[in-house]
Amino acid sequence: MSVVQSLRVSFEVFSPEICLLLYLLSVGQEVQRASVISNLPSLVRQNPAETFRRVVPKVREVLNGAGAEIQLAAAGSFLTILQDDIILIHTHTYSILKTVLLHLNHRDTVVSNAWLETLLSAINALPKETIKQEVLNPLLYQSQLSHSLQARLASCRILGKVACKFDSQIVKKELLPLVRSLCQDVEFEVRSCMCRQLESIARATGVDDTRTELLPELVELADDEESSVRLAAFDTIINLMEMMDGDDRLHVVVPLVMSVCEVSSQADEALLASLSFQFGKLCSGLAGSLSDEQKSRLLQKFKVLCVSGLQTEGNQTDGTESALIRCNCCYNLPAMVVFSESTHFLAEIYPSFSSLCCDPEVSVRRSAAASFHQVVKLLGSNVHLVHKEFLALLQDDALEVLDALMNHLEDTLEAVLSRGENLTLDNKFPELLSALLLAEQKVGCSLRWRLHEKLLQRYSCLARLLPGELLHQSFSPRIFIILTTNKVLPVQKEAARTFCTFLRYNRKQEQRQEMMERLIQDLAQGRSYWNRLRFLDVCETATEVFSRKYFNKHFLIPALELVHDPVANVRYKLCQLLPRLRSSLRLPADKQLLQQLDFCVQKLLCREKDKDVVATIRKFHKRQERDLLDQKKEKEETLLLEMLERQQTEGKLNSEKHTERKRRDSKTSLSATKSMSVSSSGATLSSSGKEMRKAKLSRSRSLSSQPTTSKSTNSDRPLKLKELSGTSGPGKSSMISSKDDSLRTAHFTMATQSTPSMPVLIRSNTTSLLDRASTLDHRSSTMEHKTSTLDQRDHRTITLDHRTSNMDHRNNMMEQRTGTMDHRTSTLDHRTSTLDQRDHRTSTLDQRDLRTSTLDQRDLRTNTLDHRDHRTSTLDQRDHRTSTLDQRSKTMDRGCGVKDNPSRKLSINRKSNSFSVQSGRD
C-alpha cells in the first residue's frame, strides 16, 4: 500500500490532527518533522492512546537515519513525557525505552548524551523486571573494555541510577563486580565517572557492605594519579562521611583531609576549590575525631584559603578560581564560627572574616553579605565585634553587595540592635543610622527600583527596633520625601507602607498628629493631582496596617472629600477604593460615616460626566444595592422562619391544651363514677356486714340455749317467707341480705326439734356453720380493708384533679404572657418599620432640600437678571427722551427760518438745559 492510500485510510479512521501529523512525518521536510516531534508531549496530553498507537511508531521510523536535529528533538520530547508523568501505562514507557536503547550508542556525543538522559529518566518509571531484562543485560556487555569510551561512561551512570531500584543482595551479587571493573578502568574519565556514582551505590548496599566493599576502592581512587579522579574520590568520601563510624573517620577521612590540606594552591586548584566548598561540612563532621593540633591546622588552612589568590609579593594567581575559593570560604563562615567557638572568634576567625568583607572582588563581598546574618546570630553578645564590617557592607559601592545584605537585613538589625552592648551601641547609633540612610539614597539614585522597593520593605522593621523619636527625626522625613517625589509606583506603595508602619508604632501623640497633618496637607490637599493619588494609595495601605477605628477617624473623611476633585483620575481612584472604605464601616457605630459615603456616591451618580468614573461608581452602586437587597431578603427569611416557628409552637400548644382538656374531662368522669360506685358499694357492704354480725350472734345464742320447738318454727316460717317476699322499697336489700341466714337458722332449729337422738350430726353441722361464720367475718374484714383502700384512691384522685386544675391555670397564665410578648414583638416590629420609613423620609427630605437650594440659587440668578433688565429699560427710556428733545430742537430751528440772534440762542440753550435737567431728574 502506498503512502497516499495509507493516509486516506487514516483520514477515514482517525482525527484530522493526527492524520496531518502522520502526513508531515511521512512526506514533510526535516524542519516540519522536527516541529511535529517537538510537539509530541502536547499531543500525548490530548490523546495518549492514539498517539502511542499511530504517531510514536511513525516517529520511530523517522528516527532511523535521521539527523542530529531530529534526534535531539525526539530525545527532548520523550524526556518531557517521562518527567511530567503524562503517561501512566508501563507499555507506553516500554515503547519509549525500546526507542531510547536503539539510539543510545549514537555516533554523535551530544545526541548520545541526550538519549542517555532520557533513559535515566525512564528508569524511574519502569518495573524491576523490565530494567533487569532490557537494561542490565546490555549493560554487562557494554561495560567491557572492547566497547567505546562513550558506552562505558553511559554504563557508569546507568549503574548509579539502577542501584536504587534493587535490594542490597542483588546489588552486591550482580552490580558490585561490574563496579569494581569500572573503577579499575584504563581511562581516567571512566574511573572518575564511576567514582561519583559510588555514593548512590553505597546507599543502596548499606553501611556494612560500604565499609567492606566500597571504602577500599574509594581510598585507592583518592591516591589516583589523575587529579579529577582524586577530586571525585574526595567529594564522595566527604558525602559518605555520615555512613562511617568513628574509626573510619579517624583512620580514613582525617588523614585524607590532612593530606589535601598540605597540597599547595598552585598544584591542584580544583581540589582546593572542592576542599573550600566542603570545609565547613568536614569540620562539623570531624569535630569529635580531631585533636587540638589538627583543629589548629584546619583553622590555619581556612585562613590560607580566605586569602587565596590575593597579591602576595607582587604575584597573583588565576583570579576566577581563587575568587571561587574565597566565595566558598564565605559560604562556610557560619560553620567555622561554630567550629572555633564564638569565644575564640576574635582571635581565630575575625581576621579572615574582615578580609572577606573587604575583598576586592564583588562576588566575594556579596557572598560575605549573604552569610552575614548567620554569623551575627552565632556571635550573640559579641555582635559588636563585627559592627565595622556591617557598616562597610552597608556603604559598599556595588549594589549587588547591598542586595545580598537586604535579603536578611531584618534578622541582622534585630541581632545588632538587641544583643549588643548598650554603651557601645549608643555610641555607634549615629553611624548605623547614617549608613542606612546613605544606602537608601544610593539605591534611590540608581535605576534598580526593585532593590529600592526591597530596601524600603526591610526598613519597616526599624519601627520595632528603634525609638520613635529617632525614627521621627531621621527616617520619617526621608520616607515622606520618597512618597512624594519618587515616580515608580511600587516604590511609592512600599514607602507608603513603611510610613504607615512608622506612624503606627510611634508612641507620642504629638508626633503622630504631626505626621497625619502632613499627610493630609501635602497629599490629600496638595496642589498636584499626583499627590492626591498618592494619598489614596496611602489610604489603601492604611486599611491593612491600622485598625478600622483609627482609619475611620483619620483617613476616611479626607478621602471622601476628594469626591469634589477636579481631576477625573483622582475621582476614578476614589471610586475604585470605595468598596474597601465601605468594608471598614461597622453599624450602628459608623452610621454617620456611612451616610456621608452614600451622599458621595449619590453626588457622583448625579454630577459625574467622565465615562470611566461613571462606570466604576455604577458598578459599586449596583453592588451596594445587591447587598441591601440581600439584607432585606435575609430579614424577610428570618421573619418567615419566626412566623413558622410561632405557628408550629401555637399549634403544639393548642393540641396539648385539647388533649389535656380531654384527659382532664375523662379523669373527672371516671373519678365521679368511681366515687358513686364506691359509696354505694360501701353502704351496702356496711349494712350487710352489720346484719351478718347480728345473724351470727343469734345463731350462737340459739345453739347455746335451744329454747323453742320445731312446730313453732314451722308455723313461723311461711310468715317470714311472705314477709320477705312482700317487702319492697329501700328496705328490700337489707331483707334480702338476711334471707339465707334466717332460713338456715330455721332449718337447723327444726332439725334439732325433730331429731333429738342425733347429737353428733348436730354438732358437726354446728361446727360447719361456725366455720362458715368465721369465713364470712374474714371476708367482711377484707371488704372493709378494700373499702378503705378505695377511699384512699378517691382521695388521691381528688388531689390529682386539684393539681391538674392548678396546671391548667398556670398554662392559661403562660398563654396570656405569650400573647402579651407576641403583642409587644409586633409593636416593636411596627416601630422598627416606622423608623425605617422615617429614615427613608429623612433621606427624601434631604434630597428635596438639596433640590430646593438649587432652585433658590436659580431664583436668585433670575432676580439678578430681572434687575439688570429693568436697568436696561430705564436706559432705553432715557435714550428715547434724548432723541425726542433733539427732534424738538430741530423743529424749532426749522420753524424760525431766520438767523438766530444771540438772545434766541441763549433761550434755546436755556430750554435745552432745562430739558436736560428735567430728563436727568426723571
Side-chain angles (χ1 to χ4, degrees), residues 838-889:
R838 288 181 180 176
D839 293 335
H840 180 68
R841 291 176 183 174
T842 304
S843 61
T844 306
L845 290 174
D846 292 336
Q847 293 178 0
R848 289 180 181 177
D849 293 338
L850 179 63
R851 293 176 183 174
T852 305
S853 62
T854 306
L855 292 174
D856 292 338
Q857 292 177 2
R858 291 180 181 177
D859 293 337
L860 180 62
R861 292 177 183 175
T862 305
N863 294 329
T864 305
L865 291 174
D866 294 338
H867 186 62
R868 289 180 181 176
D869 293 339
H870 180 68
R871 289 182 181 176
T872 305
S873 64
T874 305
L875 292 175
D876 292 339
Q877 289 177 5
R878 287 180 182 177
D879 292 337
H880 180 67
R881 289 176 183 176
T882 305
S883 62
T884 305
L885 289 174
D886 291 337
Q887 290 177 3
R888 287 179 182 178
S889 61

Side-chain angles (χ1 to χ4, degrees), residues 515-724:
M515 295 170 72
M516 277 302 307
E517 289 178 355
R518 192 172 182 185
L519 272 177
I520 294 172
Q521 291 176 2
D522 295 349
L523 294 182
Q525 300 174 359
R527 293 184 178 180
S528 175
Y529 83 97
W530 190 263
N531 291 336
R532 298 196 292 273
L533 286 174
R534 296 293 74 76
F535 178 75
L536 293 176
D537 290 335
V538 172
C539 290
E540 186 176 359
T541 306
T543 56
E544 302 174 1
V545 176
F546 295 100
S547 63
R548 291 191 180 96
K549 183 178 180 181
Y550 189 87
F551 176 81
N552 295 335
K553 183 178 179 181
H554 295 90
F555 288 93
L556 184 60
I557 300 300
L560 292 178
E561 289 177 354
L562 293 176
V563 73
H564 306 286
D565 198 276
V567 181
N569 289 340
V570 180
R571 301 195 301 272
Y572 180 71
K573 180 71 175 179
L574 176 63
C575 293
Q576 289 181 335
L577 194 63
L578 282 177
R580 185 167 292 190
L581 299 180
R582 176 65 180 82
S583 63
S584 65
L585 300 177
R586 289 292 180 269
L587 295 177
D590 301 329
K591 187 175 181 179
Q592 295 181 355
L593 296 176
L594 180 61
Q595 290 178 356
Q596 294 182 9
L597 190 144
D598 293 337
F599 179 73
C600 293
V601 172
Q602 295 296 332
K603 189 172 184 179
L604 287 172
L605 287 172
C606 295
R607 297 185 179 182
E608 188 56 50
K609 296 180 180 180
D610 189 82
K611 58 180 182 179
D612 296 328
V613 181
V614 170
T616 308
I617 195 63
R618 283 180 179 175
K619 184 177 180 181
F620 172 73
H621 187 62
K622 288 181 180 178
R623 179 180 176 183
Q624 196 172 9
E625 287 180 349
R626 286 197 300 268
D627 294 340
L628 293 174
L629 183 62
D630 184 68
Q631 292 177 3
K632 186 177 180 181
K633 290 180 180 178
E634 186 176 356
K635 288 181 180 179
E636 291 177 355
E637 290 172 358
T638 53
L639 289 174
L640 288 173
L641 290 175
E642 290 178 358
M643 290 174 65
L644 289 174
E645 289 178 357
R646 288 176 185 175
Q647 291 177 359
Q648 290 178 359
T649 52
E650 289 175 358
K652 288 181 180 179
L653 290 174
N654 292 329
S655 62
E656 289 177 357
K657 289 178 183 178
H658 187 65
T659 53
E660 185 67 24
R661 288 174 182 174
K662 286 185 177 180
R663 187 174 62 83
R664 190 168 59 249
D665 295 339
S666 62
K667 280 185 177 181
T668 53
S669 61
L670 288 173
S671 61
T673 53
K674 284 183 179 179
S675 60
M676 291 173 65
S677 62
V678 167
S679 60
S680 61
S681 62
T684 54
L685 287 172
S686 60
S687 59
S688 62
K690 290 179 181 179
E691 291 177 357
M692 288 173 67
R693 287 176 184 175
K694 290 180 181 179
K696 288 177 182 178
L697 288 174
S698 61
R699 283 198 301 271
S700 61
R701 289 174 183 174
S702 61
L703 288 173
S704 59
S705 59
Q706 296 179 359
T708 58
T709 60
S710 60
K711 290 182 179 179
S712 61
T713 55
N714 290 327
S715 62
D716 294 330
R717 181 177 179 183
L719 294 174
K720 289 180 181 178
L721 288 172
K722 290 179 180 178
E723 291 175 357
L724 288 173

Side-chain angles (χ1 to χ4, degrees), residues 156-172:
C156 295
R157 296 191 63 185
I158 293 171
L159 275 175
K161 192 70 175 179
V162 167
C164 62
K165 299 287 290 186
F166 299 99
D167 55 0
S168 59
Q169 296 297 328
I170 296 177
V171 173
K172 182 178 179 180

Side-chain angles (χ1 to χ4, degrees), residues 441-459:
Q441 292 177 3
K442 188 186 301 180
V443 176
C445 294
S446 66
L447 298 177
R448 300 185 60 177
W449 61 268
R450 290 183 177 86
L451 178 58
H452 199 188
E453 181 187 6
K454 184 193 296 185
L455 185 140
L456 292 175
Q457 183 181 1
R458 299 297 185 269
Y459 276 12

Side-chain angles (χ1 to χ4, degrees), residues 269-383:
E269 290 186 353
L271 187 59
L272 287 178
S274 177
L275 177 64
S276 64
F277 182 73
Q278 303 276 5
F279 210 91
K281 188 176 182 179
L282 278 173
C283 294
S284 300
L286 299 176
S289 303
L290 295 174
S291 61
D292 294 337
E293 181 182 359
Q294 290 173 341
K295 287 183 178 180
S296 61
R297 288 174 61 185
L298 286 177
L299 288 174
Q300 190 65 31
K301 184 63 179 179
F302 182 74
K303 295 178 183 179
V304 172
L305 292 174
C306 288
V307 295
S308 175
L310 297 179
Q311 292 182 357
T312 55
E313 298 180 0
N315 297 327
Q316 188 174 5
T317 58
D318 185 14
T320 306
E321 196 69 28
S322 59
L324 178 61
I325 292 173
R326 297 199 300 276
C327 288
N328 292 336
C329 292
C330 293
Y331 171 74
N332 290 301
L333 274 174
M336 296 309 298
V337 171
V338 176
F339 181 71
S340 64
E341 298 179 359
S342 60
T343 55
H344 300 88
F345 172 77
L346 185 61
E348 300 292 344
I349 305 297
Y350 178 74
S352 302
F353 178 75
S354 180
S355 66
L356 291 173
C357 291
C358 302
D359 197 271
E361 290 290 335
V362 177
S363 59
V364 179
R365 299 199 303 273
R366 182 179 60 196
S367 300
S371 59
F372 192 87
H373 67 286
Q374 297 179 354
V375 176
V376 166
K377 288 181 179 179
L378 293 172
L379 288 178
S381 60
N382 297 324
V383 69

